[in-house]
Amino acid sequence: MSKDNLKQRRDVLKSLLVGGAAGALGSLSQLALMREASAASPAFSDYKAMVCVFLYGGNDSFNMIMPTGGSHSDYAISRGNLSVADNPLDFGSGALTGGSGNPYYANGESSGAYLKGHYPIAGSDLGVNGVMPELAQLIATKKASVVSNIGNLVQPVTRSAIQDGSATLPLFLFAHNQQQRALQTGQGNNLNDVGWAGKIADNWVGVNNNSPLGLNISYTGNDRMLIGKDSVPLAIGVGKPPRFSDMGKGVWDYHMDRRALFKALHGIGSSSPTGRVSFSQSSAFASGDPFASLFSATSRKSMDVFDLLFEAFEGYQANYVSRDSYGNQLFSVPSSSQLGLSNVMGGGLLSQLGAVAKMVDIGATGSFQGGAYNRQIFMVSLGGFDTHSEQITKHPLLLRELSLALSSFQKALEDKGLANKVTTFTMSDFGRTLGNNGDGTDHAWGAHHLVMGGDGSNQVGNFNGGQVIGSLPEMVLDGNDDYSDRGRIIPTMAQDQLNASLCRWFGVDNALMPTIFPNLANFAQTDGDINSAYLSGLFNA
């Protein structure tokens, strides 16, 4: 890079610092490279949201949802000292008294609670881990379902095809970063594409009344799933919405003067309400340098976003009537005495879903300037699932937080009358080995995932909860469903099938599906009929 170009870049960065905007620099990077696209958005008249809960590291879902009854013996032999006991527990009314009164309590030890037992899932040979009573209740009340043995696939795969070398497998199978990328691009055989939710945003420009917030919002950073060719997500923290330092809209006269100066420095003629500062369009800064022009456009957009968020959240009160299972306010982190476990949960997922609940309420009810939104996609995350070691103490806290966070989110939506408008689902790098390494489990493939939504009535057009979709694999090391001899279970359904089914409910047309999920047709049960690739019964048609 030439010295002149370096100097130009430094000058552009300096222009941001004028007017006290330095504190917003980190947030501005989220909005870089936004460009206008030509696609027309569908004309929706309702509100729907999808919420992806990404479990980073590879969740051991065979200890989240485990076999019971006659299927338990093979599982127990394969799992060894990580086997959850075939001991039915009772979650009662769903209210927890805390400490020794919790159904999963085992002398205050996380490991004992983790392996103590399960809550049976009616109509199946599966149970929910004892540290997840809220999840068990969500399934029992038909507000959540289990999708069994699903994973990253390019096309259907069998053990024999793997052994004879004829199988087409995802790239870099069992590797964290690559599998995360494949799941988020919707292509197990193309790791360089943009995200599948980003593609929806590319094709639905203006779907939310041309709001600068766009379609996709992340509380976990700039994950690929939400990034398109012509769109990027709004990546935001869970706390108070950001503002440009000393440039609050309508706050102080000198704030408004600085706003006018800021706009002029980024190409817009502007006057402050005081009349003390005024810039004509001809006197506003203009540059022929593409980088400077892009930076100015991004800066202006960032101010619009910050203003929109701050105004909507200023004075917002959720006022939830419901309480969590311990009787606390929704999204609270329970105390160690309430948990009755060896450690206290982090609470990151609770706070992220609490922020999403507020954003959904504001977006669906028209509290944002410009009226109600039509569609939103959110992404949140919980990390720490790479349990090669100390799984018996690490995993129970993660499952406990996942269960409590999902329950709090569902109750918040119900309080606001929005339960039928939001579908929440989990994704994770991959499942973990059915066999253990003595202290934990290793990278594997197929896994169980969760889908949550609806009000439990399973009415036409709504989420169809209380189900186990798919079939349980053979829980035998070196068995018919094992990739090798370690219990790397081969998925029988593709994550793309689940995600496409969610997108169809969301309003994505069949004509757009091959663009979003290029391999979806490989899973069609009827040649040429993409509809046969969707998961039957996930939603009540």
PDB file of all heavy atoms in Angstrom, residues 74-104:
ATOM      1  N   ASP A  74     -27.741 -50.373  25.977  1.00  0.00           N
ATOM      2  CA  ASP A  74     -26.676 -50.144  24.991  1.00  0.00           C
ATOM      3  C   ASP A  74     -26.010 -48.792  25.224  1.00  0.00           C
ATOM      4  O   ASP A  74     -24.783 -48.662  25.147  1.00  0.00           O
ATOM      5  CB  ASP A  74     -27.246 -50.191  23.571  1.00  0.00           C
ATOM      6  CG  ASP A  74     -27.590 -51.598  23.122  1.00  0.00           C
ATOM      7  OD1 ASP A  74     -27.101 -52.559  23.740  1.00  0.00           O
ATOM      8  OD2 ASP A  74     -28.368 -51.733  22.145  1.00  0.00           O
ATOM      9  N   TYR A  75     -26.836 -47.790  25.487  1.00  0.00           N
ATOM     10  CA  TYR A  75     -26.323 -46.445  25.781  1.00  0.00           C
ATOM     11  C   TYR A  75     -25.392 -46.480  26.989  1.00  0.00           C
ATOM     12  O   TYR A  75     -24.295 -45.916  26.955  1.00  0.00           O
ATOM     13  CB  TYR A  75     -27.503 -45.507  26.012  1.00  0.00           C
ATOM     14  CG  TYR A  75     -27.211 -44.285  26.842  1.00  0.00           C
ATOM     15  CD1 TYR A  75     -26.688 -43.132  26.262  1.00  0.00           C
ATOM     16  CD2 TYR A  75     -27.484 -44.272  28.218  1.00  0.00           C
ATOM     17  CE1 TYR A  75     -26.432 -41.998  27.032  1.00  0.00           C
ATOM     18  CE2 TYR A  75     -27.232 -43.146  28.983  1.00  0.00           C
ATOM     19  CZ  TYR A  75     -26.707 -42.018  28.402  1.00  0.00           C
ATOM     20  OH  TYR A  75     -26.455 -40.905  29.155  1.00  0.00           O
ATOM     21  N   ALA A  76     -25.807 -47.145  28.052  1.00  0.00           N
ATOM     22  CA  ALA A  76     -25.022 -47.176  29.288  1.00  0.00           C
ATOM     23  C   ALA A  76     -23.687 -47.878  29.084  1.00  0.00           C
ATOM     24  O   ALA A  76     -22.650 -47.439  29.604  1.00  0.00           O
ATOM     25  CB  ALA A  76     -25.812 -47.862  30.396  1.00  0.00           C
ATOM     26  N   ILE A  77     -23.686 -48.956  28.315  1.00  0.00           N
ATOM     27  CA  ILE A  77     -22.439 -49.671  28.040  1.00  0.00           C
ATOM     28  C   ILE A  77     -21.486 -48.786  27.235  1.00  0.00           C
ATOM     29  O   ILE A  77     -20.285 -48.704  27.525  1.00  0.00           O
ATOM     30  CB  ILE A  77     -22.730 -50.983  27.285  1.00  0.00           C
ATOM     31  CG1 ILE A  77     -23.482 -51.958  28.202  1.00  0.00           C
ATOM     32  CG2 ILE A  77     -21.443 -51.614  26.776  1.00  0.00           C
ATOM     33  CD1 ILE A  77     -24.024 -53.184  27.467  1.00  0.00           C
ATOM     34  N   SER A  78     -22.015 -48.100  26.235  1.00  0.00           N
ATOM     35  CA  SER A  78     -21.182 -47.248  25.381  1.00  0.00           C
ATOM     36  C   SER A  78     -20.668 -46.019  26.121  1.00  0.00           C
ATOM     37  O   SER A  78     -19.522 -45.610  25.944  1.00  0.00           O
ATOM     38  CB  SER A  78     -21.975 -46.803  24.147  1.00  0.00           C
ATOM     39  OG  SER A  78     -22.376 -47.915  23.364  1.00  0.00           O
ATOM     40  N   ARG A  79     -21.489 -45.431  26.976  1.00  0.00           N
ATOM     41  CA  ARG A  79     -21.127 -44.201  27.682  1.00  0.00           C
ATOM     42  C   ARG A  79     -20.185 -44.448  28.854  1.00  0.00           C
ATOM     43  O   ARG A  79     -19.430 -43.554  29.254  1.00  0.00           O
ATOM     44  CB  ARG A  79     -22.385 -43.510  28.203  1.00  0.00           C
ATOM     45  CG  ARG A  79     -23.277 -42.960  27.118  1.00  0.00           C
ATOM     46  CD  ARG A  79     -23.238 -41.441  27.072  1.00  0.00           C
ATOM     47  NE  ARG A  79     -22.287 -40.911  26.119  1.00  0.00           N
ATOM     48  CZ  ARG A  79     -22.152 -39.630  25.822  1.00  0.00           C
ATOM     49  NH1 ARG A  79     -22.894 -38.733  26.434  1.00  0.00           N
ATOM     50  NH2 ARG A  79     -21.272 -39.224  24.946  1.00  0.00           N
ATOM     51  N   GLY A  80     -20.269 -45.612  29.462  1.00  0.00           N
ATOM     52  CA  GLY A  80     -19.407 -45.891  30.599  1.00  0.00           C
ATOM     53  C   GLY A  80     -19.730 -45.001  31.782  1.00  0.00           C
ATOM     54  O   GLY A  80     -20.891 -44.840  32.163  1.00  0.00           O
ATOM     55  N   ASN A  81     -18.702 -44.377  32.369  1.00  0.00           N
ATOM     56  CA  ASN A  81     -18.915 -43.601  33.589  1.00  0.00           C
ATOM     57  C   ASN A  81     -19.606 -42.261  33.357  1.00  0.00           C
ATOM     58  O   ASN A  81     -19.845 -41.506  34.312  1.00  0.00           O
ATOM     59  CB  ASN A  81     -17.583 -43.376  34.326  1.00  0.00           C
ATOM     60  CG  ASN A  81     -16.590 -42.574  33.507  1.00  0.00           C
ATOM     61  OD1 ASN A  81     -16.852 -42.221  32.358  1.00  0.00           O
ATOM     62  ND2 ASN A  81     -15.433 -42.290  34.089  1.00  0.00           N
ATOM     63  N   LEU A  82     -19.963 -41.946  32.121  1.00  0.00           N
ATOM     64  CA  LEU A  82     -20.738 -40.739  31.827  1.00  0.00           C
ATOM     65  C   LEU A  82     -22.208 -41.050  31.585  1.00  0.00           C
ATOM     66  O   LEU A  82     -22.975 -40.175  31.164  1.00  0.00           O
ATOM     67  CB  LEU A  82     -20.165 -40.010  30.602  1.00  0.00           C
ATOM     68  CG  LEU A  82     -18.819 -39.313  30.794  1.00  0.00           C
ATOM     69  CD1 LEU A  82     -18.389 -38.637  29.493  1.00  0.00           C
ATOM     70  CD2 LEU A  82     -18.891 -38.280  31.908  1.00  0.00           C
ATOM     71  N   SER A  83     -22.631 -42.253  31.840  1.00  0.00           N
ATOM     72  CA  SER A  83     -24.007 -42.657  31.591  1.00  0.00           C
ATOM     73  C   SER A  83     -24.954 -42.046  32.617  1.00  0.00           C
ATOM     74  O   SER A  83     -24.734 -42.148  33.829  1.00  0.00           O
ATOM     75  CB  SER A  83     -24.116 -44.183  31.640  1.00  0.00           C
ATOM     76  OG  SER A  83     -25.468 -44.586  31.572  1.00  0.00           O
ATOM     77  N   VAL A  84     -26.020 -41.424  32.136  1.00  0.00           N
ATOM     78  CA  VAL A  84     -27.077 -40.909  33.006  1.00  0.00           C
ATOM     79  C   VAL A  84     -27.970 -42.086  33.400  1.00  0.00           C
ATOM     80  O   VAL A  84     -28.357 -42.909  32.562  1.00  0.00           O
ATOM     81  CB  VAL A  84     -27.907 -39.829  32.294  1.00  0.00           C
ATOM     82  CG1 VAL A  84     -29.066 -39.361  33.169  1.00  0.00           C
ATOM     83  CG2 VAL A  84     -27.022 -38.653  31.888  1.00  0.00           C
ATOM     84  N   ALA A  85     -28.294 -42.171  34.674  1.00  0.00           N
ATOM     85  CA  ALA A  85     -29.063 -43.308  35.178  1.00  0.00           C
ATOM     86  C   ALA A  85     -30.465 -43.362  34.579  1.00  0.00           C
ATOM     87  O   ALA A  85     -31.073 -42.318  34.307  1.00  0.00           O
ATOM     88  CB  ALA A  85     -29.160 -43.230  36.700  1.00  0.00           C
ATOM     89  N   ASP A  86     -30.959 -44.576  34.377  1.00  0.00           N
ATOM     90  CA  ASP A  86     -32.334 -44.758  33.897  1.00  0.00           C
ATOM     91  C   ASP A  86     -33.276 -44.667  35.104  1.00  0.00           C
ATOM     92  O   ASP A  86     -33.931 -45.639  35.496  1.00  0.00           O
ATOM     93  CB  ASP A  86     -32.473 -46.105  33.192  1.00  0.00           C
ATOM     94  CG  ASP A  86     -33.806 -46.233  32.447  1.00  0.00           C
ATOM     95  OD1 ASP A  86     -34.487 -45.205  32.278  1.00  0.00           O
ATOM     96  OD2 ASP A  86     -34.151 -47.362  32.045  1.00  0.00           O
ATOM     97  N   ASN A  87     -33.316 -43.475  35.656  1.00  0.00           N
ATOM     98  CA  ASN A  87     -34.063 -43.215  36.883  1.00  0.00           C
ATOM     99  C   ASN A  87     -35.053 -42.089  36.615  1.00  0.00           C
ATOM    100  O   ASN A  87     -34.667 -40.916  36.561  1.00  0.00           O
ATOM    101  CB  ASN A  87     -33.084 -42.815  38.001  1.00  0.00           C
ATOM    102  CG  ASN A  87     -33.796 -42.385  39.261  1.00  0.00           C
ATOM    103  OD1 ASN A  87     -34.871 -42.899  39.590  1.00  0.00           O
ATOM    104  ND2 ASN A  87     -33.210 -41.431  39.976  1.00  0.00           N
ATOM    105  N   PRO A  88     -36.345 -42.394  36.433  1.00  0.00           N
ATOM    106  CA  PRO A  88     -37.329 -41.346  36.133  1.00  0.00           C
ATOM    107  C   PRO A  88     -37.479 -40.359  37.287  1.00  0.00           C
ATOM    108  O   PRO A  88     -37.623 -40.743  38.445  1.00  0.00           O
ATOM    109  CB  PRO A  88     -38.629 -42.130  35.910  1.00  0.00           C
ATOM    110  CG  PRO A  88     -38.198 -43.532  35.629  1.00  0.00           C
ATOM    111  CD  PRO A  88     -36.945 -43.734  36.428  1.00  0.00           C
ATOM    112  N   LEU A  89     -37.426 -39.074  36.964  1.00  0.00           N
ATOM    113  CA  LEU A  89     -37.621 -38.001  37.933  1.00  0.00           C
ATOM    114  C   LEU A  89     -38.943 -37.298  37.637  1.00  0.00           C
ATOM    115  O   LEU A  89     -39.531 -37.466  36.565  1.00  0.00           O
ATOM    116  CB  LEU A  89     -36.466 -37.001  37.858  1.00  0.00           C
ATOM    117  CG  LEU A  89     -35.054 -37.559  38.053  1.00  0.00           C
ATOM    118  CD1 LEU A  89     -34.021 -36.453  37.827  1.00  0.00           C
ATOM    119  CD2 LEU A  89     -34.879 -38.175  39.430  1.00  0.00           C
ATOM    120  N   ASP A  90     -39.399 -36.487  38.558  1.00  0.00           N
ATOM    121  CA  ASP A  90     -40.681 -35.795  38.424  1.00  0.00           C
ATOM    122  C   ASP A  90     -40.450 -34.301  38.554  1.00  0.00           C
ATOM    123  O   ASP A  90     -39.962 -33.833  39.592  1.00  0.00           O
ATOM    124  CB  ASP A  90     -41.653 -36.291  39.499  1.00  0.00           C
ATOM    125  CG  ASP A  90     -43.052 -35.684  39.349  1.00  0.00           C
ATOM    126  OD1 ASP A  90     -43.271 -34.936  38.368  1.00  0.00           O
ATOM    127  OD2 ASP A  90     -43.900 -35.952  40.216  1.00  0.00           O
ATOM    128  N   PHE A  91     -40.790 -33.543  37.510  1.00  0.00           N
ATOM    129  CA  PHE A  91     -40.614 -32.094  37.590  1.00  0.00           C
ATOM    130  C   PHE A  91     -41.858 -31.416  38.154  1.00  0.00           C
ATOM    131  O   PHE A  91     -41.907 -30.198  38.287  1.00  0.00           O
ATOM    132  CB  PHE A  91     -40.238 -31.483  36.233  1.00  0.00           C
ATOM    133  CG  PHE A  91     -41.194 -31.786  35.111  1.00  0.00           C
ATOM    134  CD1 PHE A  91     -42.375 -31.089  34.954  1.00  0.00           C
ATOM    135  CD2 PHE A  91     -40.891 -32.765  34.182  1.00  0.00           C
ATOM    136  CE1 PHE A  91     -43.246 -31.363  33.917  1.00  0.00           C
ATOM    137  CE2 PHE A  91     -41.742 -33.042  33.133  1.00  0.00           C
ATOM    138  CZ  PHE A  91     -42.934 -32.338  33.000  1.00  0.00           C
ATOM    139  N   GLY A  92     -42.867 -32.176  38.507  1.00  0.00           N
ATOM    140  CA  GLY A  92     -44.051 -31.645  39.167  1.00  0.00           C
ATOM    141  C   GLY A  92     -44.721 -30.534  38.392  1.00  0.00           C
ATOM    142  O   GLY A  92     -44.930 -30.635  37.183  1.00  0.00           O
ATOM    143  N   SER A  93     -45.034 -29.448  39.092  1.00  0.00           N
ATOM    144  CA  SER A  93     -45.715 -28.317  38.463  1.00  0.00           C
ATOM    145  C   SER A  93     -44.758 -27.426  37.694  1.00  0.00           C
ATOM    146  O   SER A  93     -45.184 -26.498  37.012  1.00  0.00           O
ATOM    147  CB  SER A  93     -46.422 -27.482  39.534  1.00  0.00           C
ATOM    148  OG  SER A  93     -45.477 -26.887  40.406  1.00  0.00           O
ATOM    149  N   GLY A  94     -43.462 -27.673  37.825  1.00  0.00           N
ATOM    150  CA  GLY A  94     -42.455 -26.832  37.175  1.00  0.00           C
ATOM    151  C   GLY A  94     -41.852 -25.801  38.094  1.00  0.00           C
ATOM    152  O   GLY A  94     -40.843 -25.192  37.769  1.00  0.00           O
ATOM    153  N   ALA A  95     -42.446 -25.601  39.259  1.00  0.00           N
ATOM    154  CA  ALA A  95     -41.886 -24.669  40.239  1.00  0.00           C
ATOM    155  C   ALA A  95     -40.835 -25.389  41.077  1.00  0.00           C
ATOM    156  O   ALA A  95     -41.045 -26.526  41.501  1.00  0.00           O
ATOM    157  CB  ALA A  95     -42.987 -24.124  41.133  1.00  0.00           C
ATOM    158  N   LEU A  96     -39.695 -24.733  41.289  1.00  0.00           N
ATOM    159  CA  LEU A  96     -38.604 -25.324  42.062  1.00  0.00           C
ATOM    160  C   LEU A  96     -38.478 -24.611  43.405  1.00  0.00           C
ATOM    161  O   LEU A  96     -38.510 -23.379  43.468  1.00  0.00           O
ATOM    162  CB  LEU A  96     -37.295 -25.215  41.286  1.00  0.00           C
ATOM    163  CG  LEU A  96     -37.260 -25.885  39.902  1.00  0.00           C
ATOM    164  CD1 LEU A  96     -35.909 -25.647  39.244  1.00  0.00           C
ATOM    165  CD2 LEU A  96     -37.545 -27.369  40.010  1.00  0.00           C
ATOM    166  N   THR A  97     -38.333 -25.386  44.452  1.00  0.00           N
ATOM    167  CA  THR A  97     -38.193 -24.797  45.780  1.00  0.00           C
ATOM    168  C   THR A  97     -36.763 -24.397  46.072  1.00  0.00           C
ATOM    169  O   THR A  97     -36.496 -23.651  47.009  1.00  0.00           O
ATOM    170  CB  THR A  97     -38.664 -25.786  46.854  1.00  0.00           C
ATOM    171  OG1 THR A  97     -37.897 -27.000  46.752  1.00  0.00           O
ATOM    172  CG2 THR A  97     -40.135 -26.120  46.668  1.00  0.00           C
ATOM    173  N   GLY A  98     -35.824 -24.876  45.259  1.00  0.00           N
ATOM    174  CA  GLY A  98     -34.424 -24.540  45.444  1.00  0.00           C
ATOM    175  C   GLY A  98     -33.705 -25.520  46.337  1.00  0.00           C
ATOM    176  O   GLY A  98     -34.306 -26.240  47.140  1.00  0.00           O
ATOM    177  N   GLY A  99     -32.373 -25.569  46.168  1.00  0.00           N
ATOM    178  CA  GLY A  99     -31.545 -26.421  47.009  1.00  0.00           C
ATOM    179  C   GLY A  99     -31.958 -27.873  46.971  1.00  0.00           C
ATOM    180  O   GLY A  99     -32.162 -28.465  45.910  1.00  0.00           O
ATOM    181  N   SER A 100     -32.097 -28.476  48.150  1.00  0.00           N
ATOM    182  CA  SER A 100     -32.412 -29.905  48.243  1.00  0.00           C
ATOM    183  C   SER A 100     -33.810 -30.230  47.748  1.00  0.00           C
ATOM    184  O   SER A 100     -34.144 -31.401  47.563  1.00  0.00           O
ATOM    185  CB  SER A 100     -32.253 -30.371  49.696  1.00  0.00           C
ATOM    186  OG  SER A 100     -33.141 -29.658  50.549  1.00  0.00           O
ATOM    187  N   GLY A 101     -34.653 -29.201  47.532  1.00  0.00           N
ATOM    188  CA  GLY A 101     -35.993 -29.447  47.015  1.00  0.00           C
ATOM    189  C   GLY A 101     -36.059 -29.622  45.513  1.00  0.00           C
ATOM    190  O   GLY A 101     -37.110 -29.978  44.965  1.00  0.00           O
ATOM    191  N   ASN A 102     -34.951 -29.389  44.821  1.00  0.00           N
ATOM    192  CA  ASN A 102     -34.929 -29.563  43.373  1.00  0.00           C
ATOM    193  C   ASN A 102     -34.924 -31.049  43.023  1.00  0.00           C
ATOM    194  O   ASN A 102     -34.217 -31.829  43.662  1.00  0.00           O
ATOM    195  CB  ASN A 102     -33.690 -28.898  42.770  1.00  0.00           C
ATOM    196  CG  ASN A 102     -33.686 -27.395  42.983  1.00  0.00           C
ATOM    197  OD1 ASN A 102     -34.730 -26.760  43.029  1.00  0.00           O
ATOM    198  ND2 ASN A 102     -32.493 -26.815  43.123  1.00  0.00           N
ATOM    199  N   PRO A 103     -35.667 -31.476  42.012  1.00  0.00           N
ATOM    200  CA  PRO A 103     -35.726 -32.909  41.692  1.00  0.00           C
ATOM    201  C   PRO A 103     -34.384 -33.499  41.280  1.00  0.00           C
ATOM    202  O   PRO A 103     -34.165 -34.700  41.421  1.00  0.00           O
ATOM    203  CB  PRO A 103     -36.748 -32.979  40.548  1.00  0.00           C
ATOM    204  CG  PRO A 103     -36.789 -31.594  39.980  1.00  0.00           C
ATOM    205  CD  PRO A 103     -36.528 -30.675  41.129  1.00  0.00           C
ATOM    206  N   TYR A 104     -33.482 -32.662  40.794  1.00  0.00           N
ATOM    207  CA  TYR A 104     -32.174 -33.149  40.357  1.00  0.00           C
ATOM    208  C   TYR A 104     -31.129 -33.108  41.469  1.00  0.00           C
ATOM    209  O   TYR A 104     -29.977 -33.506  41.264  1.00  0.00           O
ATOM    210  CB  TYR A 104     -31.671 -32.311  39.167  1.00  0.00           C
ATOM    211  CG  TYR A 104     -31.581 -30.824  39.451  1.00  0.00           C
ATOM    212  CD1 TYR A 104     -30.504 -30.276  40.142  1.00  0.00           C
ATOM    213  CD2 TYR A 104     -32.584 -29.953  39.024  1.00  0.00           C
ATOM    214  CE1 TYR A 104     -30.417 -28.925  40.407  1.00  0.00           C
ATOM    215  CE2 TYR A 104     -32.510 -28.589  39.285  1.00  0.00           C
ATOM    216  CZ  TYR A 104     -31.437 -28.084  39.978  1.00  0.00           C
ATOM    217  OH  TYR A 104     -31.355 -26.739  40.247  1.00  0.00           O
TER     218      TYR A 104
END
